[in-house]
Amino acid sequence: MTASIALVDDDRNILTSVSITLQSEGFAVRVYSDGETALKALTENPADLAVLDIKMPRMDGMELLRRLREKSQVPVIFLTSKDDELDEALGLALGADDYITKPFSQRLLIARIRALLRRTESRAGVVHDDAPVAEMIERGRLSMDPARHRVQWGGRDVTLTVTEFLILEALAQRPGFVKSRDQLMDTAYQDDVYVDDRTIDSHIKRLRRKFRQVDSDFKAIETLYGVGYRFSEE
């Protein structure tokens, strides 16, 4: 099935050039020049993945992402300006799965899109008939069902993006053992996609915040400064 990509940017040159490239790679592309129009369209007809610019008229990418996350866990890649480190961190905190800094290589964008779609597909249970079924993970109050991309804490659902799920899964598979940032990067970002330490730290902060929304005393993800992170089974 052809994957549908929503491209949201107020730069007509980017909309035109990137949409042509995506179509040549076999994707179905829908383009929007402002966040407000994109929100209405994506709410009525969700896409398989969205690529969002941050700075747009009427509704910027941050607000669009925030409102999308109220209704959907559609994978999102942010396009940010070179010096917008705060925007990158805030975008990840709001629920973006990845970001690319402008100006960017369209080849890199295609690689990121394909990698994220593969991770999303695998977590949705779209597997080959001979593929092994992922086992449930039960760690204290944590319950993870990789086949259904479902997470619960103390019996209450916690909604995670694909990247958040992969990072938590890597930590929970071996409670008490430390995972370095590099190891978590390898888990969550495959296919030689480069991210820096700040990206992993932002995902960890967002994971903690989501669990604390269902349990204010959540402390299961521990930081070992200068080393990495570990899951503490309660």
Side-chain angles (χ1 to χ4, degrees):
M1 181 180 295
T2 301
S4 61
I5 309 297
L7 180 60
V8 190
D9 199 306
D10 63 333
D11 187 325
R12 289 290 180 180
N13 291 328
I14 289 179
L15 287 180
T16 300
S17 62
V18 174
S19 62
I20 290 174
T21 299
L22 290 174
Q23 289 169 354
S24 71
E25 293 290 326
F27 296 109
V29 185
R30 294 146 54 185
V31 299
Y32 308 97
S33 58
D34 68 85
E36 189 173 292
T37 302
L39 178 63
K40 184 176 186 298
L42 293 174
T43 300
E44 296 174 352
N45 184 20
D48 294 309
L49 184 144
V51 179
L52 312 180
D53 185 30
I54 289 183
K55 293 179 171 61
M56 294 185 294
R58 300 177 66 185
M59 180 187 295
D60 66 19
M62 294 293 187
E63 179 64 13
L64 173 57
L65 175 60
R66 186 187 69 77
R67 295 179 65 173
L68 279 175
R69 281 290 174 258
E70 294 174 353
K71 306 174 183 296
S72 167
Q73 290 300 313
V74 58
V76 168
I77 297 175
F78 255 140
L79 301 180
T80 75
S81 298
K82 184 176 182 179
D83 298 324
D84 287 342
E85 294 184 0
L86 180 60
D87 285 345
E88 293 166 5
L90 181 56
L92 292 170
L94 288 173
D97 293 277
D98 202 353
Y99 67 86
I100 296 178
T101 302
K102 293 181 178 180
F104 58 88
S105 159
Q106 294 198 20
R107 179 178 298 179
L108 174 62
L109 177 60
I110 295 296
R112 299 277 185 100
I113 288 173
R114 291 194 184 282
L116 186 51
L117 284 173
R118 280 195 292 273
R119 297 202 301 272
T120 304
E121 186 178 76
S122 68
R123 290 305 167 208
V126 181
V127 296
H128 298 291
D129 292 340
D130 58 350
V133 177
E135 296 182 358
M136 289 280 296
I137 297 174
E138 302 283 351
R139 301 286 186 266
R141 302 183 67 189
L142 175 69
S143 175
M144 300 186 72
D145 184 347
R148 295 176 176 81
H149 188 81
R150 186 178 187 185
V151 178
Q152 290 188 319
W153 181 261
R156 299 179 63 184
D157 287 331
V158 182
T159 302
L160 303 182
T161 66
V162 174
T163 304
E164 291 166 355
F165 192 101
L166 290 170
I167 290 173
L168 179 62
E169 183 179 32
L171 292 171
Q173 282 175 338
R174 301 190 72 190
F177 286 79
V178 180
K179 288 279 188 179
S180 69
R181 289 175 176 83
D182 286 343
Q183 290 174 317
L184 293 176
M185 288 177 196
D186 290 341
T187 296
Y189 292 89
Q190 302 168 4
D191 304 302
D192 298 322
V193 173
Y194 171 78
V195 296
D196 60 22
D197 288 357
R198 187 181 65 252
T199 303
I200 296 300
D201 293 342
S202 293
H203 285 305
I204 292 292
K205 289 178 182 177
R206 197 172 70 207
L207 273 168
R208 287 171 171 154
R209 184 171 63 252
K210 287 187 174 183
F211 276 94
R212 285 168 182 162
Q213 287 174 350
V214 300
D215 179 3
S216 60
D217 294 325
F218 176 83
K219 299 177 181 177
I221 299 177
E222 299 179 341
T223 301
L224 279 78
Y225 293 99
V227 182
Y229 297 98
R230 70 183 173 195
F231 184 87
S232 176
E233 187 172 5
E234 297 180 351

